[in-house]
């Protein structure tokens, strides 16, 4: 019996050594391991043996079967892996071909600036308001200390819509007037109001008839011009980088007193002067000051108890400076070759 | 333009560095845009040491000239050059009006500069006559090597001020500017001399005055006779030139000179051309006057005129009339020094497009104290420089409000407004510098504003401004408001619009920004039942109305980008639109052209069509929580493709429309959408979790053959109704049109999902429902199940 097993083992192993593929392997398996094959016949030979021999040879046969099965499985695995690898090899693609063009969703330049400024001011507890673009002269001018015959009105050429009462707002300050009137002289105010404004003027690289203002207003009991400077300083650092500095210069606006021009240090040169900065080393991007007592009074806040600051800037100007755009008119051209690049997060 | 030589008459700034002073002035509020040095560099005083004839010329001389730093050879052609003469020498590098001096040689002889005539330096007109005068001969004591312009008193530092931004009148006249410098440096101002003698003859015997308008509050006039017209003295001429005015003759120049000193415009009438009275009144409509510039001006009753009782002799505060102007034969003048209503002057000057030096100053308002001072100063100067005799007396009218402005404030309040820490003592120092009188009562300052400072109002902010600008805004600290913490919120409508905008971007649409002002002729594409808001005073027809629909703008953007070679253009915008009686709404517009998603080489394309846009609007509406509340019906918009368009209804109200642009509007296949965002901003149910069924569901496919014209929606309605509670989902998975079902028909295939959250459904009960659905659809719609 031992010899039988041994010679069968040799015979099978000889065949397995030369097998080349899964199909041949299966054939060999069928030949030896089928129900009527030589391996099963070995078990049939046990019937004639004594109980003790049955035990001894039974174990020998079982071990032999396991061994053979094991060898078959190892080879089967090997051939299957080889075949899969071959299949994958054939499925190889050119990864350098273009991917699917999933649409970009870019914001407009102005929207990007407004979003960024809104995030900044919201983080300081400011509320963001909007208001009508067709406004009353009363809110756009009169209650901002610009009575009918005020010379400063000449500077803001305005589109009037009906008589001298109804106009296209020339600034977003009327939104502030509305919020103040709503506050009834009792509620502290911390707000910005971004929105479109209209001026009746000639268009060039830095002037548009329609542009976007971001104006801010803080009214409380103890707000100072230094607070405006600190806030503005934080804003230019947020928008243009940590190294940017704020500077104030005296100015004049009818709605603020004192009034200031708000400059940031030039982001294009080291302060020694370049084509972008005027006065040398500085770029004026905003105007503001302490809310004029007449404005407070007209809007229902007692100037002996309340004080605060207001400021305003053009979103287009911020965008032009931040993204180095030479011409304001490109904001309205909507050339997608330019705008889709702005479907991108900011670098901070 | 401010001449600093001139300012030196009123304040001691001899030792100041004028560049640094300009910087201080700018920091304190009046922007000095440029500091201009007059004169020409490298023009010095020289002494001719030797002078010999040029060997190769019959008129040139070879001179050796001591110019201070060295003695050099210069070739000179002037007949009057001679040894020992003190002359003006332009050294190499000097930029004269007509040439730049360089080292060179003249007919073989080296020449290191040029000895100059006055006309060559731009100090005289370049006429043959002046040229023939030859080189300018300086006095013997002229110091060799010194700057020649400085020696002649012609070198000046000018401050070019940006006066437009400032309310402070002090920037507009030299005495005012001296006060500003006095404030900055803490120095006092000395006013110019104005003492003159008067003759017995009294003006009142020659003139009466009547002021017949409330727009003239102050009017004073004096008379000066026996005038001798001639050239003004050099200092007046030079200063007028520095300030940008042309010298004419001593009389006219004095009028301008005093205006530049005190900021008070004066008008000189030729007395002999006037009648015997002065009447100030409002003009009559269509009254015509010929002004000094020989233009006929048509007036309105808004304008102020000066008349002599019979004729108009000046447009008050703007310009005199030609009929009474000072000319070469003038012997006697009437000097007018008056105050007119600033607003009236501004309006008149604007309407007549006649912004004179006088009107610019009247527009800003004037201080009556200087109206008097200027009148006296003019009399003094006419007496001194035009041999005039001043008549005694004045004709005068005074209805000026002379209330003094006083402001009461505390140091704390100033500190609180500016965010600084000054002491009472500091405030006193600043008030002294400002030349504001003040008293201290109960720890409060009561400051009196000088009349000169018309720009300062009687409130504490104005005082804070004055103190702040002296403290220096550049010295303010960066502080943050100390306020209670509070959440920053978006106003509801602003936040809603932002959500819509963000959703559009997340769906791959690019935001545009187009004009709200549009051509009134092309803006009627949609919302035809709404009237356009027309701009009454447009600057051009392409900005002549406010848009009521955004789609024309979006089509323009597509056209612009298409012409630049773009093939896939997917855009959106949110903006206000306007209509009717000045109403405004927030709208969203979308326009799609080309492919929505593509990978061309793979042949994988989602081409823009009606259903892409429908998917986008449904995505938005669902995102806004409006699921099951909207519906689409065939559109009534005439500028959309009649078969490929829909109106959007929300809770039975039309809120917008979408579809393909009508081929007669645009041949390209463009899909557009416009919807009123405000209408989408309605109350919705709060967001809640809804558990999905854990039990298996059963799916069944089914297809019906129906006429082409039948709507999918109608079939689904019947399926849904007959499927009952257990039918939880219906999906269309195929649309088929082909000969085998008849070309008048189509087949739509659906996958129906049945499930119950609480138990597993049996095949039998689903089949019962399924068969019922088939029966109901077939009988109710009279269509057939498609055999599979």
């Amino acid at each position: 019996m031992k010899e039988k097993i041994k010679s069968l083992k040799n015979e099978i192993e000889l065949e397995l050594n030369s097998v080349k593929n899964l199909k041949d392997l299966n054939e060999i398996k069928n030949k030896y391991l089928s129900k009527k094959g030589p391996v099963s016949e070995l078990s049939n030979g046990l019937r004639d043996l004594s109980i003790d021999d049955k035990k001894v040879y039974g174990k020998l046969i079982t071990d032999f079967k396991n061994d053979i099965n094991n060898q078959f499985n190892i080879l089967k695995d090997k051939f299957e892996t080889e075949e899969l690898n071959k299949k994958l090899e054939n499925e190889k693609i050119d990864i350098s071909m273009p991917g699917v063009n999933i649409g970009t969703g870019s914001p407009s330049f102005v929207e990007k600036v407004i979003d960024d400024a809104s995030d900044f001011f919201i983080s300081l507890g400011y509320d963001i308001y909007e208001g009508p673009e067709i406004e009353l002269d009363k809110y756009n001018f009169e209650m901002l200390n610009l009575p009918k015959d005020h010379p400063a009105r000449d500077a803001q050429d305005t589109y009037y819509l009906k008589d001298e009462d109804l106009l296209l707002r020339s600034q977003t300050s009327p939104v502030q007037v509305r919020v103040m009137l709503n506050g009834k002289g009792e509620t502290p105010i911390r707000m910005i109001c971004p929105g479109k404004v209209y001026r009746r003027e000639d268009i060039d690289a830095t002037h548009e008839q329609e542009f976007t203002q971001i104006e801010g207003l803080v009214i409380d009991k103890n707000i100072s011009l230094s607070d405006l400077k600190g806030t503005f300083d934080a804003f230019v650092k947020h928008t243009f980088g940590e190294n940017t500095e704020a500077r104030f210069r005296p100015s004049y606006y009818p709605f603020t007193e004192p009034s200031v021009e708000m400059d940031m240090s030039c982001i294009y040169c080291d302060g020694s002067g370049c084509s972008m900065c005027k006065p040398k080393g500085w770029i004026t991007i905003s105007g503001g000051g302490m809310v004029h007592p007449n404005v407070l009074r007209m809007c229902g806040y007692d100037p002996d108890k309340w004080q605060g600051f207001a400021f305003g800037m053009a979103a287009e100007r911020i965008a032009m400076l931040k993204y180095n755009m030479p011409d304001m008119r490109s904001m309205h051209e909507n050339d997608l070759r330019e705008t889709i690049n702005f479907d991108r997060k900011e670098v901070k | 333009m401010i001449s600093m030589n001139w300012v030196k008459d009123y304040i001691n700034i001899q030792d100041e560095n004028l560049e640094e002073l300009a910087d201080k002035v700018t920091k304190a509020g009046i922007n000095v845009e440029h500091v201009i040095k007059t004169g020409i560099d490298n023009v010095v005083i020289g002494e001719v040491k030797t002078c010999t004839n040029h060997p190769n010329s019959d008129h040139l001389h070879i001179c050796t000239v001591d110019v201070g730093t060295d003695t050099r050879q210069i070739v000179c052609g002037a007949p009057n050059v001679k040894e020992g003469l003190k002359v003006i020498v332009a050294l190499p590098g000097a930029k004269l009006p007509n040439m730049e001096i360089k080292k060179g040689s003249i007919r073989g002889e080296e020449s290191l500069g040029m000895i100059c005539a006055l006309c060559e330096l731009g100090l005289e007109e370049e006429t043959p006559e002046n040229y023939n005068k030859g080189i300018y001969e300086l006095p013997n004591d002229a110091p060799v090597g010194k700057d020649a312009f400085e020696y002649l008193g012609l070198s000046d530092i000018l401050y070019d001020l940006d006066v437009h931004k400032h309310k402070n009148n002090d920037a507009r006249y030299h005495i005012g500017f001296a006060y500003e410098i006095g404030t900055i440096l803490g120095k006092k101002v000395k006013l110019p001399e104005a003492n003159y003698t008067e003759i017995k003859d009294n003006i009142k015997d020659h003139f009466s005055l009547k002021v017949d308008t409330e727009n003239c509050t102050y009017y004073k006039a004096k008379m000066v006779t026996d005038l001798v017209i001639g050239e003004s003295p050099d200092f007046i001429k030079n200063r007028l030139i520095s300030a940008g005015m042309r010298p004419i003759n001593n009389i006219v120049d004095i009028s301008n000179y005093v205006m530049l000193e005190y900021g008070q415009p004066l008008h000189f009438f030729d007395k002999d051309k006037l009648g015997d009275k002065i009447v100030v009144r409002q003009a009559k409509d269509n009254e015509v006057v010929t002004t000094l510039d020989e233009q006929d001006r048509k007036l309105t009753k808004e304008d102020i005129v000066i008349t002599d009782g019979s004729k108009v002799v000046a447009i008050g505060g703007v310009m005199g009339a030609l009929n009474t102007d000072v000319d070469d034969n003038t012997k006697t003048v009437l000097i007018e020094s008056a105050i007119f209503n600033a607003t009236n002057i501004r309006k008149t000057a604007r309407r007549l497009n006649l912004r004179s030096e006088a009107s610019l100053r009247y527009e800003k308002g004037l201080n009556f104290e200087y109206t008097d001072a200027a009148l006296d100063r003019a009399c003094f100067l006419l007496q001194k420089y035009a041999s005039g005799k001043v008549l005694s007396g004045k004709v005068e009218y005074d209805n000026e409000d002379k209330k003094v402005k006083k402001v009461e404030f505390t140091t704390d309040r100033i500190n609180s407004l500016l965010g600084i820490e000054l002491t009472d003592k500091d405030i006193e120092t600043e008030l002294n510098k400002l030349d504001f009188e003040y008293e201290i009562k109960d720890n409060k300052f009561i400051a009196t504003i000088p009349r000169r400072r018309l720009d300062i109002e009687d409130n504490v902010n104005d005082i804070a401004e004055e103190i702040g600008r002296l403290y220096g805004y550049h010295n303010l600290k960066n502080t943050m408001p100390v306020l209670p913490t509070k959440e920053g919120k978006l106003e509801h409508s602003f936040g809603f619009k932002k959500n819509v905008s963000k959703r559009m971007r997340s769906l791959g649409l690019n935001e545009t920004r187009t004009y709200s002002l549009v051509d009134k002729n092309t803006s009627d594409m949609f919302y035809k039942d709404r009237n356009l808001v027309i701009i009454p005073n447009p600057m051009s027809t392409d900005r002549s109305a406010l848009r009521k629909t955004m789609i024309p703008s979006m089509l323009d953007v597509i056209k612009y980008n298409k012409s630049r070679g773009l093939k896939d253009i997917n855009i959106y915008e949110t903006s206000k639109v306007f209509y009717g009686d000045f109403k405004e709404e927030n709208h969203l517009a979308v326009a799609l052209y080309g492919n929505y998603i593509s990978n061309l080489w793979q042949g994988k394309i989602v081409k823009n069509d009606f259903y892409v846009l429908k998917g986008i609007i449904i995505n938005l509406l669902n995102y806004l929580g409006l699921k099951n509340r909207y519906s689409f019906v065939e559109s009534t918009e005439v500028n959309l493709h009649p078969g490929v368009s829909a109106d959007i209804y929300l809770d039975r109200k039309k809120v917008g429309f979408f579809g393909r642009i009508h081929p007669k509007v645009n041949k390209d296949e463009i899909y557009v959408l416009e919807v009123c965002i405000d209408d989408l901003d309605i109350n919705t149910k709060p967001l809640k979790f809804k558990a999905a069924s854990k039990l298996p569901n059963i799916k069944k496919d089914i297809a019906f053959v129906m006429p082409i014209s039948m709507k999918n929606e109608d079939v689904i309605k019947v399926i849904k109704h007959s499927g009952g509670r257990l039918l939880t989902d219906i999906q269309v998975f195929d649309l088929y049109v082909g000969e085998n079902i008849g070309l008048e028909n189509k087949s739509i295939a659906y996958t129906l999902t049945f499930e119950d959250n609480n138990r597993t459904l049996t095949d039998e009960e689903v089949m019962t429902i399924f068969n019922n659905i088939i029966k109901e659809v077939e009988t109710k719609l009279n269509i057939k199940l498609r055999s599979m």
Side-chain angles (χ1 to χ4, degrees), chain B residues 371-500:
Chain B
T371 310
D372 291 331
L375 189 57
D376 288 337
R377 176 72 171 156
C379 291
F380 166 82
L381 291 172
L382 286 174
Q383 186 173 63
K384 188 164 179 185
Y385 296 108
S387 315
K389 294 196 174 76
V390 183
L391 276 72
S392 54
K394 276 178 196 164
V395 290
E396 50 193 323
Y397 170 83
D398 182 357
N399 191 29
E400 182 74 3
D401 178 7
K402 294 188 179 149
K403 207 179 87 202
V404 175
K405 279 188 263 186
K406 287 184 187 248
V407 187
E408 194 178 287
F409 62 94
T410 61
T411 302
D412 283 351
R413 187 88 166 107
I414 300 290
N415 284 337
S416 155
L417 281 168
L418 296 173
I420 57 179
E421 287 167 5
L422 294 183
T423 61
D424 290 352
K425 190 110 189 105
D426 295 331
I427 299 277
E428 284 192 56
T429 309
E430 303 298 349
L431 290 176
N432 286 334
K433 279 190 185 169
L434 286 161
D435 213 14
F436 288 6
E437 285 173 18
Y438 62 91
E439 52 181 322
I440 303 172
K441 226 189 233 169
D442 307 331
N443 284 323
K444 278 181 181 170
F445 285 94
I446 301 164
T448 305
I449 313 299
R451 294 196 188 279
R452 189 170 54 76
R453 296 299 305 275
L454 294 163
D455 58 308
I456 300 183
E457 289 169 43
D458 48 355
N459 63 58
V460 62
N461 289 55
D462 278 54
I463 301 292
E465 169 155 51
E466 292 298 309
I467 290 180
R469 71 189 184 94
L470 294 182
Y471 179 87
Y473 291 138
H474 52 288
N475 291 324
L476 293 181
K477 289 203 187 91
N478 291 327
T479 59
M480 288 301 254
V482 179
L483 293 170
T485 37
K486 154 183 159 324
E487 180 196 16
K489 284 184 189 152
L490 296 175
E491 187 188 32
H492 177 79
S493 60
F494 188 86
F496 190 81
K497 207 162 57 182
K498 198 167 162 154
N499 267 324
V500 169

Side-chain angles (χ1 to χ4, degrees), chain A residues 101 104 106 108 125 128 130 133 149 154 190 196 200 203 210 225-227 229 257 303 307 334 336, chain B residues 346 413 416 418 461 465 476 479 484 486 489 491 493 508 510-511 513 516-517 537 561 584 598:
Chain A
N101 179 15
T104 52
S106 55
S108 68
I128 322 281
E130 61 172 5
E133 291 175 17
D149 286 326
D154 294 353
R190 230 184 297 177
K196 199 183 252 191
R200 191 179 178 278
I203 296 172
E210 295 173 31
L225 195 62
S226 298
D227 292 339
K229 194 170 172 218
E257 183 83 32
Q307 63 195 42
N334 300 297
L336 291 186
Chain B
R346 183 163 56 88
R413 187 88 166 107
S416 155
L418 296 173
N461 289 55
E465 169 155 51
L476 293 181
T479 59
K486 154 183 159 324
K489 284 184 189 152
E491 187 188 32
S493 60
N510 300 291
E511 189 185 34
R513 196 161 185 90
S516 297
L517 289 166
N537 57 340
N561 281 285
E584 55 188 272
S598 67

Side-chain angles (χ1 to χ4, degrees), chain B residues 497-561:
Chain B
K497 207 162 57 182
K498 198 167 162 154
N499 267 324
V500 169
S501 195
K502 276 187 172 170
R503 192 61 179 186
M504 291 295 108
R505 296 211 284 272
S506 74
L507 292 172
L509 305 184
N510 300 291
E511 189 185 34
T512 63
R513 196 161 185 90
T514 52
Y515 294 110
S516 297
L517 289 166
V518 295
D519 189 334
K520 64 182 173 194
N521 301 314
T522 59
S523 189
D524 201 35
M525 200 180 286
F526 296 99
Y527 300 99
K528 285 184 167 290
D529 55 333
R530 292 179 169 183
N531 288 325
L532 269 180
V533 176
I534 303 289
I535 304 291
N537 57 340
M539 285 186 81
S540 56
T541 46
D542 64 337
R543 311 266 163 94
S544 53
L546 284 164
R547 63 179 168 186
K548 61 178 179 177
T549 168
M550 296 161 67
I551 288 175
S553 314
M554 305 304 275
L555 295 179
D556 285 345
V557 174
I558 287 185
K559 190 176 159 197
Y560 180 96
N561 281 285

Side-chain angles (χ1 to χ4, degrees), chain B residues 136 357 608 759:
Chain B
Y136 191 63
E357 292 284 342
N608 280 316
R759 62 189 178 89

Side-chain angles (χ1 to χ4, degrees), chain B residues 53-96:
Chain B
N53 288 335
H54 193 296
N56 301 325
S57 163
D58 58 355
H59 70 281
L60 294 174
H61 306 275
I62 299 169
C63 307
T64 53
V65 185
D66 179 1
V67 295
T69 49
D70 59 273
T71 300
R72 57 179 67 202
Q73 177 168 307
I74 295 173
V75 177
C76 177
N80 60 331
V81 65
K82 59 175 189 259
E83 205 173 291
L85 204 62
K86 293 281 180 72
V87 292
I88 300 173
V89 181
L91 301 175
K95 288 180 181 143
L96 304 190

Side-chain angles (χ1 to χ4, degrees), chain B residues 561-615:
Chain B
N561 281 285
K562 204 184 147 215
S563 72
R564 278 155 185 78
L566 273 80
K567 295 199 164 58
D568 304 328
I569 304 167
N570 300 310
I571 52 174
Y572 84 97
E573 182 168 340
T574 61
S575 166
K576 285 272 173 69
V577 298
F578 308 84
Y579 64 97
D581 195 12
F582 309 107
K583 293 191 180 69
E584 55 188 272
E585 280 178 352
N586 286 300
H587 276 205
L588 162 72
V590 173
L592 308 176
Y593 170 77
N595 294 327
Y596 183 60
I597 293 173
S598 67
N599 204 18
L600 297 176
W601 66 272
Q602 281 186 301
K604 190 185 286 179
I605 281 171
V606 178
K607 186 174 159 297
N608 280 316
D609 64 9
F610 178 87
Y611 298 110
V612 168
L613 192 46
K614 186 176 179 184

Side-chain angles (χ1 to χ4, degrees), chain B residues 628-785:
Chain B
N628 299 326
R629 291 172 71 173
Y630 52 82
S631 58
F632 306 104
V633 302
E634 271 140 16
S635 179
T636 54
E637 296 291 344
V638 295
N639 282 315
L640 292 180
H641 188 307
V644 190
S645 58
D647 287 344
I648 306 162
Y649 281 81
L650 183 65
D651 292 351
R652 297 208 181 84
K653 180 187 177 189
K654 181 174 170 180
V655 296
F657 53 83
F658 68 99
R660 183 176 165 181
I661 276 286
H662 199 294
K664 75 175 194 282
V665 175
N666 196 314
K667 285 198 291 285
D668 291 322
E669 193 178 343
I670 297 171
Y671 295 87
V672 297
L673 170 145
E674 182 155 351
V675 61
C676 173
I677 298 177
D678 301 331
D679 285 342
L680 306 182
D681 191 1
I682 54 178
N683 287 333
T684 50
K685 283 186 196 143
L687 190 54
K688 286 262 168 61
F689 174 75
K690 197 177 154 202
S693 174
K694 301 279 189 288
L695 301 165
N697 58 35
I698 296 176
K699 288 190 191 296
K700 296 270 175 207
D701 290 347
I702 190 171
F704 292 102
V705 177
M706 64 195 86
I708 292 262
S709 62
M710 184 170 282
K711 286 207 272 181
N712 167 54
E713 193 178 40
D714 297 333
V715 180
I716 285 189
K717 231 180 252 172
V718 178
I719 295 176
K720 203 179 222 170
H721 185 256
S722 49
R725 187 180 60 84
L726 298 178
L727 172 64
T728 54
D729 188 42
I730 308 167
Q731 291 290 335
V732 174
F733 74 89
D734 189 40
L735 169 71
Y736 176 77
V737 180
E739 266 181 44
N740 51 343
I741 56 169
L743 283 176
E744 73 284 7
N745 288 331
K746 64 182 176 188
S747 154
I748 304 178
Y750 304 90
T751 298
L752 310 183
T753 305
F754 300 89
E755 72 184 348
D756 189 304
N757 274 1
N758 303 316
R759 62 189 178 89
T760 306
L761 299 177
T762 64
D763 253 347
E764 292 76 44
E765 64 181 322
V766 170
M767 276 319 287
T768 311
I769 304 170
F770 189 62
N771 288 330
N772 184 45
I773 290 171
I774 296 170
K775 203 183 91 197
E776 290 273 312
V777 172
E778 285 186 332
T779 51
K780 281 197 175 151
L781 298 171
N782 196 21
I783 58 175
K784 284 277 168 241
L785 185 69

